[in-house]
Amino acid sequence: MRSQFSRARMKRWGWLWLAFFILLLPAHAQSDAELNLKGAFDFHVHQAPDSVDRAIDADDLARLAKKMGMRGMVMKNHWEDTAALVYMVRKEVPGIELFGGITQDLAVGGINLEAVKHMVAMKGGWGRVVWLPTFDAENAVKYAKGTGPYVRVSENGKLLPSVIELIDFIAKDHRLVLETGHVSAEEGDMVVHEAHERGVTHIVVTHAMAAPILMTIPEMQAAARDGAFIEFVYNATLGAGAVVTVKQYADAIRAVGAKSCLLATDFGAVQKPPEPQHPLEPQGLLDFMKAIHKEGISVADINLMAKTNPALALGLPVK
């Protein structure tokens, strides 16, 4: 029978061995198992119904995201506002935080403050995001070598008065988010700086490194200094049309600082054969988180960009 002294000595040595084992572990040991969608927020999804093919209806997407543990999503449409859509889906799928918005494309008349006001006034108050023109932006049309009409936001290096008026309206409502859309990188920095100077609370640079924006690291750093979140979307790294790699994203995140970055998917399109179909948005966001982690970005920073910062960008409490 062991003495009380022997048992005490064994217990002490046991704790010493455990401490020694912990010290041998890598200081930043991480695994994919630590990455999950609990509390995640995708700031950029596309859903049906739309005037182009989409992979999944809005209500089914909301059910799937909720089932997979996500906190919420921003639902986007290039041609009409999504405030009413989000109101209805929130009724059908309670327990997930959905927000809508409006783009300033030709379908709503370009830079159209009245359309923005009506979107904001929509029942429920879930229309929160205002994107500057996307597919119809002058920069986007010229990048695609298009010949059709486009929406301008600047002239001779200055923002147009209609854009300034829109920025001033957004500055008065601290619930709203101003996004740069598909304007040029130079215009994006102009918009962010002007919005910051005029008191806009929430600013996001829409998929900064994706086409047709193609921001450089110094341009993203300048936007971040003016208080903007820089959005990185998984979609831009995939398929034949990829213009950036996940490694380049990781390098940019390190240069800009994760505290100023957002991870999103920009998923929802139906890929044309022989392109493989993307996963649906929730799985796509998790895949993106894992891909970024493989490039050396820590789990803590990934959670910051996929969970905390989206909430901050919408003025929501951090959970």
Side-chain angles (χ1 to χ4, degrees), residues 41 58-60 62-63 66 71-75 82-100 123-128 314 316 319:
F41 206 110
D59 58 336
D60 291 330
R63 291 185 185 96
K66 178 182 176 182
R71 178 177 179 179
M73 296 176 289
V74 173
M75 292 186 162
T82 54
L85 172 70
V86 162
Y87 172 81
M88 294 304 298
V89 175
R90 273 180 172 253
K91 289 186 68 176
E92 291 297 312
V93 191
I96 185 165
E97 298 178 54
L98 305 174
F99 295 90
K123 183 178 180 179
W126 307 122
R128 300 286 183 85
L314 280 162
L316 304 176
K319 295 182 178 179

Short mmCIF file of all heavy atoms in Angstrom, two decimals, residues 41 58-60 62-63 66 71-75 82-100 123-128 314 316 319:
data_model
loop_
_atom_site.label_atom_id
_atom_site.label_comp_id
_atom_site.label_asym_id
_atom_site.label_seq_id
_atom_site.Cartn_x
_atom_site.Cartn_y
_atom_site.Cartn_z
N PHE A 41 -20.80 35.40 -40.65
CA PHE A 41 -21.68 36.33 -41.36
C PHE A 41 -21.12 36.55 -42.75
O PHE A 41 -20.01 37.06 -42.91
CB PHE A 41 -21.75 37.66 -40.61
CG PHE A 41 -23.00 38.44 -40.84
CD1 PHE A 41 -23.93 38.60 -39.83
CD2 PHE A 41 -23.26 39.01 -42.07
CE1 PHE A 41 -25.10 39.31 -40.05
CE2 PHE A 41 -24.41 39.73 -42.31
CZ PHE A 41 -25.34 39.88 -41.29
N ALA A 58 -33.78 32.41 -51.89
CA ALA A 58 -33.38 33.12 -50.68
C ALA A 58 -33.82 32.41 -49.41
O ALA A 58 -33.06 32.32 -48.44
CB ALA A 58 -33.94 34.54 -50.71
N ASP A 59 -35.06 31.89 -49.39
CA ASP A 59 -35.54 31.24 -48.17
C ASP A 59 -34.81 29.94 -47.89
O ASP A 59 -34.46 29.63 -46.75
CB ASP A 59 -37.05 31.02 -48.21
CG ASP A 59 -37.50 30.19 -49.40
OD1 ASP A 59 -36.78 30.14 -50.43
OD2 ASP A 59 -38.58 29.58 -49.31
N ASP A 60 -34.52 29.17 -48.95
CA ASP A 60 -33.77 27.92 -48.76
C ASP A 60 -32.34 28.20 -48.33
O ASP A 60 -31.77 27.46 -47.51
CB ASP A 60 -33.79 27.09 -50.05
CG ASP A 60 -35.17 26.54 -50.37
OD1 ASP A 60 -35.94 26.30 -49.42
OD2 ASP A 60 -35.47 26.37 -51.56
N ALA A 62 -31.39 30.78 -46.56
CA ALA A 62 -31.45 31.19 -45.15
C ALA A 62 -31.59 29.97 -44.24
O ALA A 62 -30.94 29.89 -43.18
CB ALA A 62 -32.62 32.14 -44.94
N ARG A 63 -32.43 28.99 -44.64
CA ARG A 63 -32.58 27.78 -43.82
C ARG A 63 -31.27 27.01 -43.72
O ARG A 63 -30.89 26.52 -42.66
CB ARG A 63 -33.68 26.89 -44.42
CG ARG A 63 -35.08 27.46 -44.31
CD ARG A 63 -36.13 26.48 -44.79
NE ARG A 63 -37.45 27.10 -44.78
CZ ARG A 63 -38.04 27.67 -45.83
NH1 ARG A 63 -37.41 27.66 -47.00
NH2 ARG A 63 -39.23 28.21 -45.72
N LYS A 66 -28.74 28.92 -41.49
CA LYS A 66 -29.12 28.77 -40.09
C LYS A 66 -28.77 27.38 -39.58
O LYS A 66 -28.21 27.22 -38.48
CB LYS A 66 -30.61 29.03 -39.92
CG LYS A 66 -31.12 28.87 -38.50
CD LYS A 66 -32.63 29.10 -38.43
CE LYS A 66 -33.17 28.84 -37.03
NZ LYS A 66 -34.64 29.03 -36.96
N ARG A 71 -24.59 33.19 -38.39
CA ARG A 71 -25.36 34.27 -37.76
C ARG A 71 -26.22 35.01 -38.77
O ARG A 71 -27.35 35.38 -38.49
CB ARG A 71 -24.41 35.25 -37.07
CG ARG A 71 -25.14 36.43 -36.43
CD ARG A 71 -24.20 37.37 -35.70
NE ARG A 71 -24.93 38.49 -35.12
CZ ARG A 71 -24.38 39.45 -34.40
NH1 ARG A 71 -23.07 39.46 -34.18
NH2 ARG A 71 -25.13 40.44 -33.92
N GLY A 72 -25.66 35.27 -39.97
CA GLY A 72 -26.44 36.03 -40.92
C GLY A 72 -25.77 36.22 -42.27
O GLY A 72 -24.68 35.69 -42.53
N MET A 73 -26.44 37.00 -43.14
CA MET A 73 -25.96 37.25 -44.49
C MET A 73 -26.49 38.60 -44.98
O MET A 73 -27.54 39.07 -44.53
CB MET A 73 -26.46 36.17 -45.46
CG MET A 73 -25.95 34.78 -45.19
SD MET A 73 -26.69 33.54 -46.31
CE MET A 73 -28.36 33.48 -45.68
N VAL A 74 -25.76 39.20 -45.91
CA VAL A 74 -26.26 40.34 -46.68
C VAL A 74 -26.63 39.82 -48.06
O VAL A 74 -25.79 39.28 -48.78
CB VAL A 74 -25.22 41.46 -46.79
CG1 VAL A 74 -25.71 42.55 -47.75
CG2 VAL A 74 -24.92 42.06 -45.42
N MET A 75 -27.90 39.95 -48.42
CA MET A 75 -28.41 39.45 -49.70
C MET A 75 -28.40 40.57 -50.73
O MET A 75 -28.96 41.64 -50.51
CB MET A 75 -29.81 38.89 -49.52
CG MET A 75 -29.83 37.62 -48.68
SD MET A 75 -31.48 36.85 -48.60
CE MET A 75 -31.00 35.17 -48.06
N THR A 82 -33.17 44.67 -52.15
CA THR A 82 -33.52 43.41 -51.50
C THR A 82 -34.11 43.61 -50.10
O THR A 82 -34.22 42.66 -49.34
CB THR A 82 -32.28 42.49 -51.41
OG1 THR A 82 -31.21 43.20 -50.77
CG2 THR A 82 -31.84 42.02 -52.78
N ALA A 83 -34.51 44.82 -49.75
CA ALA A 83 -35.06 45.07 -48.43
C ALA A 83 -36.37 44.30 -48.20
O ALA A 83 -36.58 43.72 -47.13
CB ALA A 83 -35.28 46.57 -48.22
N ALA A 84 -37.26 44.30 -49.20
CA ALA A 84 -38.53 43.59 -49.06
C ALA A 84 -38.31 42.08 -49.03
O ALA A 84 -38.97 41.36 -48.26
CB ALA A 84 -39.48 43.97 -50.19
N LEU A 85 -37.41 41.60 -49.87
CA LEU A 85 -37.09 40.18 -49.89
C LEU A 85 -36.62 39.71 -48.51
O LEU A 85 -37.09 38.69 -47.98
CB LEU A 85 -36.00 39.91 -50.93
CG LEU A 85 -35.42 38.49 -50.96
CD1 LEU A 85 -36.46 37.50 -51.49
CD2 LEU A 85 -34.15 38.45 -51.81
N VAL A 86 -35.72 40.46 -47.92
CA VAL A 86 -35.18 40.09 -46.62
C VAL A 86 -36.26 40.13 -45.54
O VAL A 86 -36.30 39.27 -44.65
CB VAL A 86 -33.99 41.02 -46.27
CG1 VAL A 86 -33.67 40.97 -44.79
CG2 VAL A 86 -32.76 40.63 -47.09
N TYR A 87 -37.15 41.12 -45.63
CA TYR A 87 -38.25 41.18 -44.66
C TYR A 87 -39.08 39.90 -44.69
O TYR A 87 -39.41 39.33 -43.64
CB TYR A 87 -39.14 42.39 -44.97
CG TYR A 87 -40.40 42.44 -44.15
CD1 TYR A 87 -40.39 42.92 -42.84
CD2 TYR A 87 -41.61 41.97 -44.67
CE1 TYR A 87 -41.55 42.95 -42.07
CE2 TYR A 87 -42.77 42.00 -43.91
CZ TYR A 87 -42.74 42.48 -42.62
OH TYR A 87 -43.88 42.50 -41.86
N MET A 88 -39.41 39.44 -45.88
CA MET A 88 -40.24 38.23 -46.00
C MET A 88 -39.48 36.97 -45.56
O MET A 88 -40.03 36.10 -44.89
CB MET A 88 -40.73 38.07 -47.44
CG MET A 88 -41.68 39.17 -47.90
SD MET A 88 -43.13 39.36 -46.84
CE MET A 88 -43.91 37.75 -47.00
N VAL A 89 -38.21 36.87 -45.93
CA VAL A 89 -37.43 35.69 -45.57
C VAL A 89 -37.21 35.63 -44.06
O VAL A 89 -37.24 34.56 -43.46
CB VAL A 89 -36.09 35.64 -46.34
CG1 VAL A 89 -35.24 34.47 -45.87
CG2 VAL A 89 -36.34 35.53 -47.84
N ARG A 90 -37.01 36.77 -43.43
CA ARG A 90 -36.88 36.79 -41.97
C ARG A 90 -38.15 36.24 -41.30
O ARG A 90 -38.06 35.59 -40.26
CB ARG A 90 -36.61 38.22 -41.48
CG ARG A 90 -35.14 38.62 -41.47
CD ARG A 90 -34.99 40.05 -40.95
NE ARG A 90 -33.60 40.42 -40.75
CZ ARG A 90 -33.02 40.55 -39.58
NH1 ARG A 90 -33.71 40.30 -38.47
NH2 ARG A 90 -31.75 40.92 -39.47
N LYS A 91 -39.32 36.50 -41.89
CA LYS A 91 -40.55 35.96 -41.33
C LYS A 91 -40.61 34.45 -41.49
O LYS A 91 -41.06 33.73 -40.59
CB LYS A 91 -41.77 36.59 -42.01
CG LYS A 91 -42.01 38.05 -41.66
CD LYS A 91 -43.31 38.55 -42.26
CE LYS A 91 -44.51 37.89 -41.60
NZ LYS A 91 -45.79 38.45 -42.09
N GLU A 92 -40.16 33.96 -42.62
CA GLU A 92 -40.21 32.53 -42.92
C GLU A 92 -39.11 31.75 -42.18
O GLU A 92 -39.29 30.57 -41.85
CB GLU A 92 -40.06 32.30 -44.43
CG GLU A 92 -41.24 32.77 -45.25
CD GLU A 92 -42.51 32.01 -44.90
OE1 GLU A 92 -42.46 30.76 -44.83
OE2 GLU A 92 -43.55 32.66 -44.67
N VAL A 93 -37.97 32.40 -41.94
CA VAL A 93 -36.83 31.72 -41.32
C VAL A 93 -36.35 32.57 -40.14
O VAL A 93 -35.32 33.26 -40.23
CB VAL A 93 -35.68 31.49 -42.32
CG1 VAL A 93 -34.64 30.54 -41.73
CG2 VAL A 93 -36.20 30.95 -43.64
N PRO A 94 -37.05 32.55 -39.03
CA PRO A 94 -36.60 33.32 -37.88
C PRO A 94 -35.32 32.73 -37.29
O PRO A 94 -35.02 31.55 -37.47
CB PRO A 94 -37.77 33.19 -36.89
CG PRO A 94 -38.46 31.92 -37.28
CD PRO A 94 -38.30 31.81 -38.77
N GLY A 95 -34.56 33.58 -36.64
CA GLY A 95 -33.35 33.08 -35.97
C GLY A 95 -32.09 33.25 -36.77
O GLY A 95 -31.02 32.77 -36.36
N ILE A 96 -32.16 33.94 -37.91
CA ILE A 96 -30.94 34.27 -38.66
C ILE A 96 -31.05 35.73 -39.07
O ILE A 96 -32.14 36.21 -39.43
CB ILE A 96 -30.73 33.35 -39.88
CG1 ILE A 96 -29.38 33.66 -40.55
CG2 ILE A 96 -31.89 33.44 -40.87
CD1 ILE A 96 -28.93 32.60 -41.52
N GLU A 97 -29.95 36.45 -38.99
CA GLU A 97 -29.95 37.90 -39.22
C GLU A 97 -29.64 38.20 -40.69
O GLU A 97 -28.50 38.05 -41.13
CB GLU A 97 -28.94 38.57 -38.30
CG GLU A 97 -29.28 38.38 -36.82
CD GLU A 97 -28.26 39.01 -35.89
OE1 GLU A 97 -27.99 40.21 -36.05
OE2 GLU A 97 -27.72 38.29 -35.02
N LEU A 98 -30.66 38.61 -41.42
CA LEU A 98 -30.53 38.89 -42.84
C LEU A 98 -30.70 40.38 -43.09
O LEU A 98 -31.55 41.03 -42.47
CB LEU A 98 -31.59 38.12 -43.63
CG LEU A 98 -31.63 36.61 -43.41
CD1 LEU A 98 -32.82 36.01 -44.15
CD2 LEU A 98 -30.33 35.96 -43.86
N PHE A 99 -29.90 40.90 -44.02
CA PHE A 99 -29.97 42.30 -44.38
C PHE A 99 -29.96 42.43 -45.90
O PHE A 99 -29.41 41.59 -46.61
CB PHE A 99 -28.82 43.09 -43.77
CG PHE A 99 -28.86 43.11 -42.26
CD1 PHE A 99 -28.22 42.13 -41.52
CD2 PHE A 99 -29.56 44.10 -41.60
CE1 PHE A 99 -28.28 42.13 -40.13
CE2 PHE A 99 -29.63 44.11 -40.21
CZ PHE A 99 -28.98 43.13 -39.47
N GLY A 100 -30.59 43.50 -46.39
CA GLY A 100 -30.63 43.76 -47.82
C GLY A 100 -29.99 45.09 -48.14
O GLY A 100 -29.43 45.77 -47.28
N LYS A 123 -40.61 48.47 -44.83
CA LYS A 123 -41.04 47.85 -43.57
C LYS A 123 -40.00 46.85 -43.08
O LYS A 123 -39.46 46.07 -43.84
CB LYS A 123 -42.38 47.14 -43.79
CG LYS A 123 -42.96 46.52 -42.53
CD LYS A 123 -44.31 45.89 -42.81
CE LYS A 123 -44.89 45.28 -41.53
NZ LYS A 123 -46.22 44.66 -41.77
N GLY A 124 -39.74 46.87 -41.79
CA GLY A 124 -38.74 46.00 -41.18
C GLY A 124 -37.44 46.71 -40.91
O GLY A 124 -36.76 46.43 -39.93
N GLY A 125 -37.06 47.63 -41.80
CA GLY A 125 -35.80 48.36 -41.61
C GLY A 125 -34.56 47.53 -41.86
O GLY A 125 -33.48 47.84 -41.35
N TRP A 126 -34.71 46.47 -42.69
CA TRP A 126 -33.56 45.58 -42.92
C TRP A 126 -32.77 45.95 -44.16
O TRP A 126 -31.77 45.29 -44.47
CB TRP A 126 -34.04 44.13 -43.02
CG TRP A 126 -34.89 43.71 -41.86
CD1 TRP A 126 -36.17 43.23 -41.90
CD2 TRP A 126 -34.53 43.74 -40.47
NE1 TRP A 126 -36.63 42.96 -40.63
CE2 TRP A 126 -35.65 43.27 -39.74
CE3 TRP A 126 -33.39 44.13 -39.76
CZ2 TRP A 126 -35.65 43.17 -38.34
CZ3 TRP A 126 -33.39 44.04 -38.38
CH2 TRP A 126 -34.51 43.56 -37.68
N GLY A 127 -33.19 47.00 -44.87
CA GLY A 127 -32.40 47.49 -46.00
C GLY A 127 -31.31 48.41 -45.49
O GLY A 127 -31.58 49.56 -45.13
N ARG A 128 -30.09 47.93 -45.43
CA ARG A 128 -29.02 48.67 -44.75
C ARG A 128 -27.83 49.04 -45.65
O ARG A 128 -27.04 49.90 -45.29
CB ARG A 128 -28.48 47.83 -43.58
CG ARG A 128 -29.51 47.48 -42.52
CD ARG A 128 -29.87 48.66 -41.65
NE ARG A 128 -30.80 48.28 -40.59
CZ ARG A 128 -30.46 47.76 -39.42
NH1 ARG A 128 -29.18 47.56 -39.14
NH2 ARG A 128 -31.38 47.45 -38.53
N LEU A 314 -21.97 46.34 -39.85
CA LEU A 314 -23.41 46.58 -39.86
C LEU A 314 -23.91 47.28 -38.58
O LEU A 314 -25.11 47.49 -38.41
CB LEU A 314 -24.16 45.26 -40.03
CG LEU A 314 -24.24 44.73 -41.47
CD1 LEU A 314 -24.58 43.26 -41.47
CD2 LEU A 314 -25.25 45.54 -42.29
N LEU A 316 -23.83 45.99 -35.58
CA LEU A 316 -24.48 45.00 -34.73
C LEU A 316 -23.62 44.71 -33.51
O LEU A 316 -22.38 44.86 -33.57
CB LEU A 316 -24.70 43.69 -35.49
CG LEU A 316 -25.50 43.78 -36.80
CD1 LEU A 316 -25.55 42.42 -37.47
CD2 LEU A 316 -26.90 44.32 -36.55
N LYS A 319 -21.06 39.14 -30.87
CA LYS A 319 -21.44 38.02 -30.00
C LYS A 319 -20.24 37.13 -29.70
O LYS A 319 -19.33 37.02 -30.51
CB LYS A 319 -22.56 37.20 -30.65
CG LYS A 319 -23.86 37.99 -30.80
CD LYS A 319 -24.95 37.12 -31.39
CE LYS A 319 -26.26 37.88 -31.50
NZ LYS A 319 -27.34 37.05 -32.10
#
